[in-house]
DNA sequence: GGCGCGTGACTGAATCGCGATTCAGCGGAG
DNA sequence: CTCCGCTGAATCGCGATTCAGTCACGCGCC
């Protein structure tokens, strides 16, 4: 890593060998960049980023060591790209789904269930995100943090709206709550990924956590369960 | 790292130069091992474990590069020792405090407030634990995970007891709740450490989170706030 | 149709720098 | 004088990155 540059970004992010190769490649099946990313996710999850040799990723992807450098600037770029390609997409999906839910209550539940649901099928990715991405403080601050912040903002906004409309208690900071929720989901995912990762476990957890959090957050208005107004 | 051994542990953990040096050292003030650990915490927090050269830690501690190897087996051992020395102690304190709280409700609140309170004065340590320790999947699994598990168990037990005595809802898994709580605290600490780390921020957050979680977890029995059963 | 050439993706062995670890000494204390 | 903690420059292995080739292909020409 040497984690030093990441500022000027002189050279272009990578360079997909000309056009072509994009989705079909010339001779082999599936495009290479994708194969490499998938292999990297697998290997990073198993051995950790720093302990993984570029040559191991190459072997796992079935390409030559040098090929990786045709698609990625460096080993770091591999990790960063992984994050960008997957997580950003994942967060986008989540954000899009949010649009469909009308009430803050449903929105919050959706956030919880979607985040956990999406990662449930991607154990390796889950591990890379919850563990390996934390590898470098700098990487974290440069790339991950901003994206996470954005996500935190989304949660905080939902909470805040709920407070404004009176369905959520307003004696807590939306920001603090957002961080806690994010952390809870993150922790749940991490222990799940590092542990047995039993199928369905995350989704089941999602429901429970959503129940507890919502109960803790709701003022009781509009639940159909309130005693007085 | 090479993160490979960590199994047989043939050589002894380290070797404090004979006895002596323990708390007073011969000529300099404060014992060296401690100085090194403190410096390591500082530097690791600032640059990340892998990006930190052993020589940097040495410089920060005001000792020669080689001296570090008189107290620690390797760079890894430095990180592991840091974790063992500090966190284990920290968790012990917490566990001891727990004994003083009678009800599950107070116990849970204590867990939350203690964990955040203890880390509040140790920003660098907080960062190392929440970020840097995650560096190596193997290190994580070998050293950190077991300790964390123990901690998770503690939380789970408190929740479980609360359920048995009827003060906590019992339609959620104590384990899931424990992981979520742990994650929430961890996430809160991490964002705090990586961000501005405003003084008092963590404690304030603790109270709020405890309020929300307890409300979400309580059945309403004995709160003096319940409407029906 | 067959053939030679140019192009560019791909290969993988060699390079080269970095930095953890070592160890031959040094100096103060007893 | 001996012992021991400490020193810090030199060593040495590792592994990311490079780059001189290889190979398949498509194209234009015969």
């Amino acid at each position: 890593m040497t984690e030093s540059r990441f500022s000027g970004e002189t050279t272009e992010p990578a360079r997909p060998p000309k056009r072509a190769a994009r989705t079909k490649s010339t001779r082999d099946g599936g495009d290479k960049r994708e194969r490499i990313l998938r292999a990297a996710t697998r290997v990073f999850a198993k051995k950790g980023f720093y302990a993984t040799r570029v040559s191991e990723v190459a072997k796992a992807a079935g390409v030559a060591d040098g090929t990786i450098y045709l698609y990625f600037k460096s080993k770091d770029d591999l990790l960063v790209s992984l994050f960008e390609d997957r997580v950003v997409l994942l967060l986008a999906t989540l954000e899009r789904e949010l649009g469909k839910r009308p009430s803050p209550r449903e929105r919050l539940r959706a956030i919880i269930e979607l985040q956990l649901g999406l990662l449930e099928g991607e154990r390796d990715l889950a591990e890379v995100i919850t563990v390996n991405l934390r590898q470098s403080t700098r990487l974290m601050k440069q790339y991950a943090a901003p994206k996470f912040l954005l996500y935190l903002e989304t949660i905080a906004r939902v909470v805040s709206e709920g407070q404004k409309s009176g369905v959520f208690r307003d004696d807590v900071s939306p920001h603090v709550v957002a961080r806690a929720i994010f952390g809870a989901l993150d922790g749940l995912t991490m222990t799940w990924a590092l542990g047995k990762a039993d199928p369905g476990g995350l989704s089941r957890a999602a429901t429970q956590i959503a129940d507890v959090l919502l109960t803790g957050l709701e003022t009781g208005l509009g639940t159909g369960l309130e005693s007085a107004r």
Side-chain angles (χ1 to χ4, degrees), chain A:
Chain A
M1 156 68 96
T2 321
E3 44 182 340
S4 41
R5 68 205 87 107
F6 285 132
S7 26
E9 289 304 300
T10 313
T11 37
E12 61 289 48
R15 51 211 144 111
K18 270 301 161 54
R19 82 278 90 156
R22 241 306 91 122
T23 338
K24 212 52 220 278
S25 175
T26 320
R27 30 185 178 291
D28 62 72
D31 89 288
K32 235 136 220 183
R33 182 186 151 90
E34 189 53 31
R35 277 235 307 280
I36 296 174
L37 279 182
R38 243 190 268 286
T41 307
R42 223 174 320 128
V43 185
F44 287 168
K46 184 168 299 303
K47 316 201 31 170
F49 178 70
Y50 283 96
T52 298
R53 330 268 128 263
V54 170
S55 63
E56 291 177 296
V57 174
K59 194 178 317 164
V63 301
D65 298 13
T67 305
I68 290 184
Y69 290 88
L70 294 177
Y71 294 88
F72 303 94
K73 254 203 331 278
S74 64
K75 190 186 170 189
D76 296 300
D77 188 42
L78 197 48
L79 184 57
V80 171
S81 299
L82 217 160
F83 179 68
E84 298 270 312
D85 272 42
R86 308 300 210 255
V87 182
V88 170
L89 185 74
L90 192 149
L91 294 188
T93 300
L94 203 151
E95 187 119 26
R96 179 158 34 72
E97 281 298 314
L98 274 195
K100 302 179 185 168
R101 324 290 161 129
S103 79
R105 208 178 290 125
E106 285 181 61
R107 287 241 264 283
L108 204 47
R109 185 177 286 277
I111 287 179
I112 295 172
E113 295 181 342
L114 278 172
Q115 176 170 341
L116 294 184
L118 287 174
L119 251 21
E120 176 122 50
E122 300 256 38
R123 187 205 166 128
D124 286 342
L125 181 59
E127 185 164 337
V128 171
I129 294 173
T130 57
V131 180
N132 296 279
L133 194 59
R134 267 78 158 173
Q135 300 265 328
S136 138
T137 306
R138 168 164 277 107
L139 214 175
M140 188 70 191
K141 289 179 178 165
Q142 298 286 318
Y143 286 85
K147 293 294 189 310
F148 284 157
L149 270 251
L150 201 80
Y151 186 48
L152 281 179
E153 269 315 311
T154 306
I155 303 182
R157 206 174 318 119
V158 171
V159 173
S160 179
E161 284 165 8
Q163 291 180 331
K164 283 207 190 68
S165 67
V167 288
F168 291 161
R169 60 195 289 174
D170 62 1
D171 61 342
V172 291
S173 152
H175 242 80
V176 167
V177 173
R179 286 161 186 232
I181 292 179
F182 175 77
L185 300 181
D186 197 61
L188 237 18
T189 306
M190 184 183 80
T191 49
W192 173 80
L194 288 181
K196 52 171 81 220
D198 69 306
L202 267 193
S203 307
R204 245 173 297 120
T207 312
Q208 300 184 12
I209 291 311
D211 283 352
V212 172
L213 281 176
L214 282 175
T215 307
L217 235 30
E218 279 167 356
T219 54
L221 288 183
T223 343
L225 296 175
E226 68 273 29
S227 36
R229 61 140 304 170

